[in-house]
């Protein structure tokens, strides 16, 4: 499917589900979503370059993800999707800057693209959203103000759209990390709440805890991978912008994104350490539960050893055993077995081993 965004009078109009033969040449952003081969060929004819295939987008070499060819600059990164559905994943997305046009190629539905596209069409991505909320000639929080001057802000460009998309992607990654941190906090609370109970924790609860910890650890590691791809992309984007000579503000925004990436990487390291701590704690609690069960069997075995010894002695069937002809021999043997079982248990209770 092809979505095209056309700059018109400082605003942006969106055209969705465009047929390949009706692709508007004045579009500043062409978004290819799960494109067919006919749609790819239409974009290739319009822009004079070759669109990478899905297999090429999955390659991990830097030279296959960041390169310039046929007058276009190709940048591929891994972007998170599926957060709102509760099934987060990561998929490659390619940004192509060619002349005054941005082309994005993707086979997933990252929420960040929809968020930025809506902001772009409302004018908020170009700094115009707040001005539309104020009535001309009036200040909502003070005395009447002078009529606003006509805006000299230029409409969005391909460069500013690419930077804005990456900023929105980084914001979504930060949201994902916050969700992982909150989930780890809940897992920690569940772990220590179960350890405070006197009743044994069921095996199913431990399995669920290990599943949740594993899911959080896997998600944080894949987030680190996504941040690594974006971190490698930003210097190349800075080089491309230096060559294209855009507004100075865009270069500052790219530097700000680089700082955000470094801070998010530090936070991912913290989450990885916390995941390891929770995993070790859960495994330790499982060991404690297993040791408690083994201790019960050990105490039971020790408790039954003296009665077994007494029963073995009087079960040897020797001819000369005075107790065999004694009328109170049988009750004495039973009492001796009970006493030999009770005394070790009382000793264990006194030592607080039970």
């Amino acid at each position: 499917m092809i979505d095209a965004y056309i700059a018109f009078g400082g605003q942006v109009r969106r055209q969705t589900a465009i047929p390949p033969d009706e692709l508007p040449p004045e579009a500043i952003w062409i978004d290819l979503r799960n494109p067919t081969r006919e749609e790819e060929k239409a974009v290739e004819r319009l822009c004079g370059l070759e669109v990478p295939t899905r297999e090429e987008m999955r390659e991990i070499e830097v030279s296959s993800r960041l390169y310039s060819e046929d007058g276009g600059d190709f940048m591929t990164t891994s972007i998170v999707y599926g957060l709102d559905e509760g099934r987060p994943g990561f998929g490659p997305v390619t940004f192509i800057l060619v002349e005054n046009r941005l082309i994005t190629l993707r086979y997933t539905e990252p929420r960040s693209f929809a968020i930025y596209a809506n902001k772009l069409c409302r004018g908020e991505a170009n700094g115009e959203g707040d001005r539309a909320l104020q009535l001309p000639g009036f200040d909502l929080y003070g005395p009447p103000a002078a009529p606003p001057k006509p805006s000299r802000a230029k409409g969005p460009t391909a460069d500013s759209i690419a930077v804005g998309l990456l900023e929105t992607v980084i914001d979504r990654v930060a949201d994902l990390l916050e969700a992982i941190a909150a989930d780890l906090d809940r897992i920690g609370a569940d772990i220590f709440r179960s350890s405070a109970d006197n009743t044994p924790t069921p095996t199913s609860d431990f399995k669920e805890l290990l599943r949740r910890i594993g899911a959080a650890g896997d998600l944080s590691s894949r987030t680190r991978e996504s941040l690594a791809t974006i971190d490698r992309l930003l210097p190349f984007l800075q080089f491309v912008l230096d060559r294209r000579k855009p507004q100075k503000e865009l270069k500052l925004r790219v530097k700000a994104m680089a700082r955000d990436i470094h801070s998010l990487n530090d936070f991912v390291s913290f989450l990885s350490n916390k995941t390891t701590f929770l995993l070790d704690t859960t495994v330790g609690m499982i060991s404690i539960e297993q040791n408690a069960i083994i201790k019960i069997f050990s105490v039971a075995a020790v408790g039954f050893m003296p009665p077994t010894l007494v029963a073995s002695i009087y079960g040897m069937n020797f001819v000369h055993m005075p107790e065999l002809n004694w009328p109170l021999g049988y009750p004495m043997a039973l009492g001796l077995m009970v006493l030999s079982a009770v005394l070790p248990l009382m000793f264990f209770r006194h030592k607080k081993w039970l």
Side-chain angles (χ1 to χ4, degrees), residues 26-45:
E26 67 274 15
I28 60 173
W29 176 20
I30 299 175
D31 187 19
L32 291 172
R33 296 182 293 150
N34 294 299
T36 62
R37 185 54 190 156
E38 290 75 18
E39 292 172 341
E40 291 179 350
K41 288 182 178 179
V43 173
E44 290 174 351
R45 288 193 300 268

Side-chain angles (χ1 to χ4, degrees), residues 196-270:
D197 297 337
N198 294 326
T199 58
T201 304
T203 304
S204 58
D205 291 350
F206 280 126
K207 288 183 178 179
E208 180 63 18
L209 285 174
L210 289 175
R211 186 197 64 79
R212 292 167 60 189
I213 294 173
D218 177 69
L219 197 53
S220 61
S221 64
R222 297 179 68 181
T223 304
R224 184 192 292 273
E225 177 185 356
S226 176
L227 289 174
T229 61
I230 299 176
D231 194 21
R232 289 193 293 265
L233 180 147
L234 291 180
F236 184 81
L237 177 60
Q238 187 75 46
F239 170 77
V240 170
L241 293 179
D242 289 340
R243 189 178 66 236
R244 294 170 64 91
K245 293 181 171 49
Q247 299 177 359
K248 184 178 180 180
E249 176 214 356
L250 294 182
K251 298 181 181 180
L252 297 178
R253 289 165 63 183
V254 173
K255 292 181 180 178
M257 283 191 289
R259 291 192 295 268
D260 292 340
I261 290 293
H262 291 311
S263 63
L264 291 177
N265 277 324
D266 294 338
F267 190 67
V268 171
S269 300
F270 164 74

Side-chain angles (χ1 to χ4, degrees), residues 63 69 97 136 162 184 230:
S63 59
E69 184 179 78
L97 285 172
L184 290 177
I230 299 176

Side-chain angles (χ1 to χ4, degrees), residues 2 6 34 38 44 47 51 73 90 103 105 117 126-127 158 188 201 204 210 219 222 226 274 297 303 326 331:
I2 301 178
I6 303 171
N34 294 299
E38 290 75 18
E44 290 174 351
C47 302
V51 175
D73 299 299
F90 295 87
I103 303 170
L105 175 62
N126 198 35
T201 304
S204 58
L210 289 175
L219 197 53
R222 297 179 68 181
S226 176
K274 188 172 183 178
F297 284 103
W326 185 29

Side-chain angles (χ1 to χ4, degrees), residues 55-301:
E55 290 72 20
E56 292 173 344
M57 293 171 61
R58 291 174 177 170
E59 294 181 0
I60 61 175
E61 303 94 330
V62 177
S63 59
S64 300
R65 285 177 169 254
L66 307 172
Y67 61 95
S68 298
E69 184 179 78
D70 297 331
D73 299 299
F74 297 74
M75 297 165 283
T76 302
T77 184
S78 297
I79 293 180
V80 62
Y81 66 92
L83 285 180
D84 298 334
E85 294 79 10
R87 296 188 299 272
F90 295 87
V93 176
T94 298
F95 297 80
I96 306 174
L97 285 172
V98 51
E99 297 179 352
N100 59 344
R101 186 180 295 115
L102 170 68
I103 303 170
T104 53
L105 175 62
R106 54 194 174 99
Y107 295 88
T108 57
E109 294 292 336
R111 179 63 179 163
S112 53
F113 274 66
I115 293 174
Y116 182 78
N118 292 333
K119 291 173 60 178
L120 183 66
C121 294
R122 293 196 305 264
E124 297 177 11
N126 198 35
E128 300 175 0
D130 295 338
R131 287 194 296 272
L133 299 177
Q134 184 173 344
L135 297 176
F138 292 92
D139 186 355
L140 298 180
Y141 302 98
K149 297 180 180 180
S151 174
R152 298 181 180 179
K154 297 181 179 179
T157 62
D159 299 332
S160 64
I161 292 174
V163 172
L165 276 172
L166 289 173
E167 289 175 336
T168 309
V169 167
I170 294 175
D171 289 341
R172 295 291 287 177
V173 172
D175 294 340
L176 174 60
L177 293 178
E178 292 173 0
I180 296 174
D183 192 23
L184 290 177
D185 289 339
R186 289 190 293 269
I187 293 173
D190 293 341
I191 291 174
F192 296 114
R193 186 185 304 113
S194 62
S195 64
D197 297 337
N198 294 326
T199 58
T201 304
T203 304
S204 58
D205 291 350
F206 280 126
K207 288 183 178 179
E208 180 63 18
L209 285 174
L210 289 175
R211 186 197 64 79
R212 292 167 60 189
I213 294 173
D218 177 69
L219 197 53
S220 61
S221 64
R222 297 179 68 181
T223 304
R224 184 192 292 273
E225 177 185 356
S226 176
L227 289 174
T229 61
I230 299 176
D231 194 21
R232 289 193 293 265
L233 180 147
L234 291 180
F236 184 81
L237 177 60
Q238 187 75 46
F239 170 77
V240 170
L241 293 179
D242 289 340
R243 189 178 66 236
R244 294 170 64 91
K245 293 181 171 49
Q247 299 177 359
K248 184 178 180 180
E249 176 214 356
L250 294 182
K251 298 181 181 180
L252 297 178
R253 289 165 63 183
V254 173
K255 292 181 180 178
M257 283 191 289
R259 291 192 295 268
D260 292 340
I261 290 293
H262 291 311
S263 63
L264 291 177
N265 277 324
D266 294 338
F267 190 67
V268 171
S269 300
F270 164 74
L271 292 181
S272 299
N273 294 333
K274 188 172 183 178
T275 302
T276 303
F277 165 73
L278 293 177
L279 181 61
D280 293 341
T281 303
T282 304
V283 173
M285 289 186 59
I286 293 174
S287 300
I288 292 174
E289 293 285 345
Q290 292 176 341
N291 292 337
I293 296 173
I294 294 174
K295 183 176 70 173
I296 293 174
F297 284 103
S298 301
V299 170

